[in-house]
Amino acid sequence: MTAQIVTFARAAQADARSFPGATIAYGPGEEIYAQAEETDLIYRVTSGAVRTTRLDSDGRRQIGDFYYAGDFFGLEAGPEHRFSAEALCESQVQVFKRTTLAMADDTAGVERTIWTATARELERTREHLMMLGRKTAREKVASFLHDLADRQGGEVQTLVMGRQDMADYLGLTIETVSRMLTQLQAEGLVTFTGCRQFRIGNRQAMTRLVAA
Amino acid sequence: MTAQIVTFARAAQADARSFPGATIAYGPGEEIYAQAEETDLIYRVTSGAVRTTRLDSDGRRQIGDFYYAGDFFGLEAGPEHRFSAEALCESQVQVFKRTTLAMADDTAGVERTIWTATARELERTREHLMMLGRKTAREKVASFLHDLADRQGGEVQTLVMGRQDMADYLGLTIETVSRMLTQLQAEGLVTFTGCRQFRIGNRQAMTRLVAA
DNA sequence: CGTCATCTTGATTACGCTCAAGCTCCGTGG
DNA sequence: CCACGGAGCTTGAGCGTAATCAAGATGACG
């Protein structure tokens, strides 16, 4: 977020255009690409976490998705990004140039990887869609925690994002998210130890609540 | 919807598995593939219109998208369909077998076409997501009519789907959709001539209302 | 022309939003 | 080491939008 970090990142990104595959470091809140920026690069999270965000003219905000180590992002059909991407915490991001990849030795392999990533992304987006369209606030928040636990594995879960990001992902307000978290905890479905750490208390009840 | 039509379609679909590229006719409401069915086929609308639907255990329904002549559908990453697909009206659908396409002469061309279709689909789904997450009922309904007019072109627009389908696409109830249509018409933004035909009355106001 | 599905309208309810305080957790400086 | 300050989170009260429940109106089709 400091001027130095931003300057460093800009310089590194410029390099990435000539040397695809370069890894760039971003600090919390730092922008990786902007809405309406050209889409000639493809990204992969090496460490940390990234969110994609869309801001409309009224300032309403929607988060497209969160990406963790190993995930590709920045895949788009059109010539311009419809969402921007920002790091959630200290993160390392690998950058590939599309046109360079097209000249790779194993073109077929590269293309298959990109297609698979795109299709997986589509699938996740459809799940997200289902959630936004037809779930209650309570179900949305429960799904969010459940999915996170699924992805991360292990017992104790850590939230890399704040309440506002959760709200903008779920199509809710920050207050509603907070209330639902309190409610779920009161019912023993989850236990929070600090506002960014939790454990699933009742996995069965949780899964039932989330069930498609 | 009659037993004969269903029987015919089943038989035709069985054929399509051995003869990819075959065109099958479906009647209104008829199922093209089901949720949890295997995903070895890819489809393209030749004429008519198709919707993809997801039904959860409580009977809540979400429509993924509507597809018209020329559109591909049925593209998925996993081995099972997460949505089902049904014809909205008398429709012709072309069916391709994935594994057969992989052996085509112009494999690269085929793959590019599929990737492009997938990426386009992803983009549409993201727009849909944005709408579900952050738009009001009024804006959702206006967007729906606006997009339809954009896609179809021309002056007089025809709705191939009923109010329930619109509601399930927009994450609203049928009553709310109806009220918003009445409201938009009262304000002169659109004019309905029968419940499935309309013209955009004030394109400027409409675009403003829809603006991302 | 009658029947049934679809669509519209009305009255009421409820879920999530808004506005407004507090609280908690950290980092900073006295 | 504790006081101060600020950001982020929680809680509360009241409101508004869209859902629900319930009749009617319209329209398509036999």
Side-chain angles (χ1 to χ4, degrees), chain A residues 7-192:
Chain A
T7 307
F8 164 67
R10 285 272 177 284
Q13 183 153 354
D15 285 346
R17 284 167 192 269
S18 8
F19 303 102
T23 297
I24 311 181
Y26 293 93
E30 211 180 321
E31 183 171 87
I32 299 167
Y33 57 78
Q35 233 165 296
E37 201 170 288
E38 51 180 345
T39 55
D40 59 332
L41 300 176
I42 295 173
Y43 306 82
R44 181 157 56 172
V45 181
T46 305
S47 72
V50 170
R51 66 165 181 251
T52 51
T53 307
R54 176 126 168 218
L55 216 56
D56 79 6
S57 47
D58 302 334
R60 282 177 286 189
R61 188 165 169 268
Q62 176 69 48
I63 289 193
D65 214 339
F66 297 104
Y67 300 89
Y68 304 99
D71 296 340
F72 282 94
F73 67 98
L75 301 154
E76 310 229 10
E80 283 190 4
H81 283 295
R82 303 304 194 84
F83 287 73
S84 65
E86 301 102 29
L88 283 164
C89 53
E90 292 296 337
S91 304
Q92 303 267 349
V93 174
Q94 234 181 327
V95 185
F96 308 94
K97 192 165 184 173
R98 227 170 247 259
T99 44
T100 310
L101 287 179
M103 296 183 293
D105 293 337
D106 182 19
T107 307
V110 168
E111 287 192 348
R112 203 174 319 110
T113 304
I114 293 181
W115 186 80
T116 305
T118 307
R120 213 188 297 283
E121 178 86 8
L122 178 57
E123 194 160 315
R124 276 189 58 78
T125 307
R126 280 177 177 151
E127 294 297 319
H128 192 177
L129 195 74
M130 183 75 191
M131 180 161 85
L132 289 182
R134 290 306 188 195
K135 286 190 180 174
T136 63
R138 179 185 161 76
E139 291 169 331
K140 285 177 179 180
V141 173
S143 297
F144 186 82
L145 299 180
H146 183 87
D147 289 0
L148 210 85
D150 254 17
R151 275 223 218 179
Q152 288 191 174
E155 196 56 25
V156 175
Q157 309 299 327
T158 305
L159 295 166
V160 282
M161 70 294 287
R163 298 291 188 266
Q164 188 63 61
D165 284 340
M166 291 176 58
D168 290 338
Y169 179 78
L170 299 172
L172 298 171
T173 59
I174 189 174
E175 294 96 330
T176 299
V177 169
S178 187
R179 275 185 249 275
M180 294 303 130
L181 289 173
T182 305
Q183 191 185 106
L184 291 172
Q185 179 159 35
E187 291 164 358
L189 297 200
V190 294
T191 314
F192 272 81

Side-chain angles (χ1 to χ4, degrees), chain A residues 56 82 127 134 168 212, chain B residues 56 60 82 127 134 168 212:
Chain A
D56 79 6
R82 303 304 194 84
E127 294 297 319
R134 290 306 188 195
D168 290 338
Chain B
D56 78 8
R60 282 177 288 187
R82 303 304 195 83
E127 293 297 319
R134 291 307 188 194
D168 290 338

Side-chain angles (χ1 to χ4, degrees), chain B residues 80-94:
Chain B
E80 283 190 3
H81 283 296
R82 303 304 195 83
F83 287 73
S84 66
E86 301 100 29
L88 283 163
C89 54
E90 293 296 337
S91 304
Q92 304 268 347
V93 174
Q94 234 180 327

Side-chain angles (χ1 to χ4, degrees), chain B residues 5-52:
Chain B
I5 296 180
V6 172
T7 307
F8 163 68
R10 286 271 178 283
Q13 184 153 351
D15 285 345
R17 284 168 191 269
S18 10
F19 303 103
T23 296
I24 311 180
Y26 293 93
E30 210 179 322
E31 182 171 87
I32 299 166
Y33 58 77
Q35 233 165 296
E37 201 170 287
E38 50 180 346
T39 54
D40 59 331
L41 301 176
I42 295 173
Y43 306 81
R44 180 157 56 174
V45 181
T46 305
S47 72
V50 170
R51 67 165 180 251
T52 51

